[in-house]
Amino acid sequence: MRHLIIIAFLVISGITQAQTNFEKGMTKAFELWQNGKTDEAENMFERIAKAEPKEWLPNYYIAQINSLKSWSEKDATVLKAQLDKAQEHLDAAMLKSENNAELLVMQAQVLTNWVAFDGMTYGIKYGAKVAELYEKATTLDPTNPRAALGKAEWDMGSAKYFGKDTAPFCKDIEASIELFDTFKPESALHPNWGKERAEQVAKDCKS
């Protein structure tokens, strides 16, 4: 019995240590990212993803980094490499965590990167899919502020593109801010971004 207790303790200690290492690694990657060392952060997330094959968060943040890089990218070859990498890691994350609103939002973001780069080519190709992703994300998790914000911004952009009034969607932006105020991420490592963006869009609505 004593041996079993010792074995159980060693197993639990091993799990705890693994979680601690994961948390330490993720925290270090966030610190690098916040300090503007984006490439180093991305490399660390990649190492963590390999070391922790069941965790979806490292893949998520690699996808996010590449999506963010792509907003200002003008070179089609560079953009494709970044968004292909983002997609690769999103695909990996979705295999680990199905029906995950955060991943659906990030998928919509990556497709929006393509539309922003070349609306004529990719608007027709991905427009309906982006709307579908946000619809599914808000249905899966009605309290997720990033899903609400993403859907409102996409609807607003679509209305603007077709020459329609965008004012009705300002209320949806305000509603997303309320969700940000009450949202509690699952852990300090889980996605918790977007409130500043929502506040900026709400401000633009009033100007």
Side-chain angles (χ1 to χ4, degrees):
M1 185 67 184
R2 184 169 175 272
H3 289 301
L4 289 173
I5 292 170
I6 291 170
I7 290 168
F9 176 78
L10 289 172
V11 169
I12 293 166
S13 297
I15 292 169
T16 304
Q17 186 61 37
Q19 288 174 334
T20 301
N21 288 339
F22 173 69
E23 290 168 357
K24 284 179 180 177
M26 292 290 287
T27 301
K28 178 63 177 175
F30 287 137
E31 288 173 359
L32 289 167
W33 195 359
Q34 287 166 0
N35 290 328
K37 298 178 179 178
T38 308
D39 290 342
E40 291 94 326
E42 185 177 348
N43 289 337
M44 178 154 279
F45 283 129
E46 287 191 60
R47 291 198 295 273
I48 297 169
K50 288 176 183 176
E52 303 284 350
K54 293 183 180 180
E55 296 285 353
W56 63 271
L57 286 169
N59 300 103
Y60 170 90
Y61 288 115
I62 294 166
Q64 186 180 26
I65 285 173
N66 281 279
S67 173
L68 290 171
K69 284 180 185 176
S70 298
W71 286 119
S72 57
E73 186 54 60
K74 303 300 181 187
D75 187 308
T77 303
V78 174
L79 179 100
K80 185 178 187 306
Q82 290 170 344
L83 295 183
D84 282 354
K85 186 172 185 179
Q87 190 61 58
E88 175 191 340
H89 282 277
L90 267 178
D91 290 344
M94 287 179 177
L95 287 173
K96 301 173 186 181
S97 180
E98 295 180 3
N99 294 321
N100 183 323
E102 298 289 0
L103 293 176
L104 294 176
V105 169
M106 190 52 58
Q107 178 66 84
Q109 291 274 303
V110 169
L111 296 184
T112 302
N113 282 121
W114 284 110
V115 176
F117 179 71
D118 184 348
M120 290 296 289
T121 301
Y122 296 106
I124 296 170
K125 186 174 181 179
Y126 294 134
K129 181 63 176 176
V130 172
E132 180 188 320
L133 285 162
Y134 281 130
E135 193 67 43
K136 185 175 180 182
T138 53
T139 301
L140 273 173
D141 188 356
T143 64
N144 188 295
R146 278 162 296 286
L149 172 62
K151 184 177 186 302
E153 275 206 276
W154 180 258
D155 290 343
M156 186 179 284
S158 298
K160 190 174 183 179
Y161 181 80
F162 290 109
K164 296 181 180 179
D165 185 16
T166 61
F169 302 108
C170 290
K171 292 180 181 178
D172 295 334
I173 298 293
E174 293 288 352
S176 79
I177 293 173
E178 292 179 13
L179 291 178
F180 276 111
D181 289 337
T182 56
F183 180 78
K184 292 181 180 179
E186 194 174 320
S187 77
L189 305 178
H190 282 69
N192 197 25
W193 55 270
K195 187 177 180 181
E196 288 181 7
R197 172 65 184 170
E199 289 173 338
Q200 182 58 55
V201 177
K203 187 178 177 182
D204 293 342
C205 275
K206 295 171 183 175
S207 61

